[in-house]
Amino acid sequence: MSSGGDYHRLLHKSESHIGQTNDFSPNQVRPLPTGPRKKSTGIQAWLLMNKKGEAQVVEAGKYAIMRRTGLLARDLRVLDPILSYPSTIMGREKAIVINLEHIKAIITGLEVLLLNSRDPTVMPFIEELQNRIQRFHHATIAQKGDVDDLNFSKEFSMLEDQDESLKVEEKTDVKNQDGSKVLPFEFVALEACLETVCNCLESEAITLEQEAYPTLDKLTSVLSTLNLERVRQIKSRLIEISGRVQKVKDELEHLLDDDEDMAQMYLTEKLVYGSNMNEGDDMDDESSQSNFDDRCSILSNDEGQNLENPHGNHTSSTQSYMNKNLDVKELEMLLEPYFVQIDGTLNKLSTLREYVHNTEDFINIMLDDKQNKLLQMGVMLTTATLLLTAFIISVGYLSINVRIALFNDNLNGEKNWLWTAGGGSIGCIVLYLFAYSWYKYKRLI
């Protein structure tokens, strides 16, 4: 592929340099170890997928990845599973770093490197990414002959001093069978990452909604400890998912607001522009091509080498070229639907959060009402206790050994006793009713 000539020459130079320093054969890939791994080496298993959709798991250290992708150590630190970094999409000179939820990948103009490929949650994403890349490869191959014929027919009508930007458009403007334009390789991989993450978050939000609303409605009708515990768990999940969705939204919003960051992600155009600058190179096309197995072996055997920048002489020129051509409409149109989708997911969670807050307010009102009723009952019981205590004191006073006419053994004494006991009981009841009326008048109950 002419657009990746410089990159393939880098692979051949690295392969010849590595062959002088180790005993690995060109097609040999370092096997995955079965025993414990030393943390100091920094060697990790990476899933390498090229532009044809061919995938292979290789082992590589930090220096090998830095040499291959042109990234710095602080860029790779974002992908470290041990460290807790927020959702990140970073565009660099030769690669795009993706750290979104469970997806930790590096996208270049020629391949995708996926870190946690053994995670069960990443398996569906790997299949989707491979299918997308294969469709991209088939669409490119299907249009390759037509594009070559078109370029050949136009060569006779073009002037020798024609702008190089037109050549770039002719080489990259490939269309699908339905007439839609095929995105560059890096955007195909980026779209797969964004779609997987947005769909995953939206699915979690929908599942939470389906569990939350019935539970909240049940809590308003039956206030119990079990229902309160369920609502507490739902609220914890809601806060956690909302935070994750908010981080993804903020990253997409920051990216859409910065044209220079989006311009950094046009890796294919950078490769094409770099290859156009090196058209006078005498290296033939066969030496500039490298198969997928050779690239894997270079990646796995490049540990411990010094960092180099074979494209250092083109970095400043490529950077100035991209800064002057900040036409990022294609990427902006790609990111906009996923920003709208993630914003809709956040709105769903915000609506659910408001419903949870309203339910909590309703429960607090119910609890306050019950507490007020308990206080009213306490006031009434206290009043009744006071009056009953006064009656008991009166009966106790009359029960002492005092000789009065009330205790005479005659009919008049018995009548007096009955009038005294009955009058005391009726008096307590009258005083209680009077106290209740006074409480009502003062609105204490």
Side-chain angles (χ1 to χ4, degrees):
M1 185 177 296
S2 59
S3 62
D6 292 339
Y7 199 87
H8 291 302
R9 287 194 293 273
L10 168 63
L11 297 181
H12 282 290
K13 291 179 182 179
S14 301
E15 182 179 0
S16 60
H17 179 68
I18 292 171
Q20 299 174 1
T21 57
N22 55 65
D23 298 331
F24 287 100
S25 61
N27 295 325
Q28 181 180 359
V29 179
R30 185 180 303 174
L32 298 178
T34 56
R37 179 182 301 159
K38 294 182 179 180
K39 295 182 180 180
S40 59
T41 58
I43 297 178
Q44 294 176 324
W46 293 79
L47 178 67
L48 185 63
M49 188 177 298
N50 65 356
K51 298 182 72 170
K52 297 181 181 180
E54 301 171 346
Q56 185 171 356
V57 178
V58 297
E59 279 206 336
K62 181 181 295 185
Y63 290 105
I65 299 299
M66 292 168 65
R67 281 177 56 88
R68 188 174 186 83
T69 60
L71 297 175
L72 300 178
R74 61 173 176 266
D75 298 330
L76 293 180
R77 197 180 302 126
V78 176
L79 303 178
D80 196 337
I82 300 177
L83 303 177
S84 177
Y85 276 88
S87 298
T88 306
I89 303 176
M90 296 190 306
R92 292 296 183 258
E93 183 66 23
K94 301 177 184 178
I96 301 175
V97 182
I98 304 293
N99 180 25
L100 296 176
E101 294 294 318
H102 55 282
I103 299 177
K104 300 179 183 297
I106 300 175
I107 303 173
T108 66
L110 299 174
E111 60 197 6
V112 178
L113 292 88
L114 192 63
L115 182 59
N116 54 343
S117 59
R118 296 181 178 179
D119 191 346
T121 58
V122 186
M123 294 299 180
F125 165 71
I126 295 176
E127 296 179 0
E128 177 64 21
L129 176 62
Q130 191 169 20
N131 293 333
R132 285 175 177 267
I133 293 178
Q134 288 176 353
R135 289 196 298 267
F136 164 80
H137 176 67
H138 294 331
T140 305
I141 294 299
Q143 296 291 333
K144 183 178 180 181
D146 298 337
V147 173
D148 291 341
D149 294 339
L150 179 62
N151 293 336
F152 180 76
S153 62
K154 288 185 178 180
E155 283 182 356
F156 296 97
S157 61
M158 288 182 180
L159 297 177
E160 294 181 356
D161 57 348
Q162 188 176 8
D163 189 5
E164 293 292 336
S165 61
L166 296 178
K167 296 180 181 180
V168 174
E169 290 184 14
E170 292 170 2
K171 292 180 180 180
T172 59
D173 191 10
V174 182
K175 296 184 178 180
N176 288 316
Q177 296 179 356
D178 57 357
S180 61
K181 184 179 178 181
V182 176
L183 296 174
F185 172 77
E186 64 273 14
F187 291 168
V188 172
L190 177 61
E191 185 179 14
C193 297
L194 292 175
E195 182 175 353
T196 300
V197 172
C198 293
N199 291 340
C200 179
L201 292 175
E202 185 177 12
S203 177
E204 291 187 19
I206 293 175
T207 302
L208 184 61
E209 278 185 331
Q210 294 175 352
E211 297 178 5
Y213 285 114
T215 304
L216 293 172
D217 294 338
K218 187 175 181 180
L219 178 64
T220 56
S221 58
V222 180
L223 185 59
S224 63
T225 305
L226 180 60
N227 291 335
L228 287 174
E229 177 63 21
R230 291 177 178 175
V231 172
R232 185 191 67 82
Q233 295 176 359
I234 289 175
K235 188 175 181 180
S236 300
R237 291 170 54 191
L238 175 62
I239 295 174
E240 187 262 338
I241 296 176
S242 299
R244 291 159 51 194
V245 174
Q246 185 66 48
K247 290 178 181 178
V248 176
K249 179 189 174 183
D250 292 342
E251 186 62 24
L252 290 176
E253 185 176 7
H254 172 74
L255 189 60
L256 287 170
D257 293 339
D258 197 331
D259 290 346
E260 294 185 1
D261 287 348
M262 287 191 288
Q264 285 283 353
M265 297 184 178
Y266 282 79
L267 305 179
T268 300
E269 290 191 5
K270 293 179 183 179
L271 291 175
V272 173
Y273 183 75
S275 63
N276 289 336
M277 294 181 62
N278 294 327
E279 287 182 354
D281 197 346
D282 56 354
M283 183 175 295
D284 57 353
D285 294 338
E286 293 181 358
S287 61
S288 65
Q289 299 295 329
S290 176
N291 57 36
F292 182 55
D293 293 334
D294 291 341
R295 295 202 300 269
C296 295
S297 64
I298 291 172
L299 179 60
S300 60
N301 299 331
D302 202 19
E303 176 65 20
Q305 302 296 328
N306 295 328
L307 295 178
E308 298 178 0
N309 187 9
H311 297 290
N313 56 340
H314 305 308
T315 301
S316 59
S317 61
T318 305
Q319 182 67 28
S320 62
Y321 166 78
M322 297 308 298
N323 290 336
K324 292 179 182 178
N325 297 271
L326 296 179
D327 188 8
V328 294
K329 293 181 180 179
E330 186 178 26
L331 180 57
E332 188 174 2
M333 293 179 64
L334 171 65
L335 297 177
E336 189 69 26
Y338 297 104
F339 176 77
V340 174
Q341 181 181 0
I342 203 69
D343 184 65
T345 303
L346 187 61
N347 290 335
K348 290 181 181 180
L349 296 175
S350 300
T351 303
L352 179 58
R353 183 166 56 251
E354 291 296 329
Y355 195 83
V356 171
H357 290 167
N358 294 336
T359 304
E360 289 180 345
D361 294 339
F362 181 74
I363 295 301
N364 291 330
I365 293 174
M366 292 177 59
L367 293 176
D368 292 340
D369 181 66
K370 289 185 177 181
Q371 186 177 6
N372 292 334
K373 290 181 178 180
L374 290 175
L375 292 174
Q376 294 175 4
M377 185 179 295
V379 170
M380 300 305 298
L381 291 176
T382 302
T383 303
T385 302
L386 176 63
L387 296 177
L388 184 60
T389 302
F391 181 75
I392 292 174
I393 292 174
S394 301
V395 173
Y397 175 76
L398 295 176
S399 64
I400 61 177
N401 295 326
V402 177
R403 306 302 297 178
I404 58 178
L406 183 62
F407 295 100
N408 292 334
D409 295 335
N410 52 30
L411 294 176
N412 293 330
E414 293 179 359
K415 292 180 180 180
N416 292 335
W417 168 254
L418 292 176
W419 280 108
T420 301
S425 300
I426 294 174
C428 290
I429 296 175
V430 171
L431 290 176
Y432 182 79
L433 294 177
F434 175 77
Y436 181 79
S437 301
W438 186 78
Y439 291 151
K440 280 287 187 180
Y441 176 76
K442 293 294 183 178
R443 295 184 178 179
L444 297 179
I445 57 176

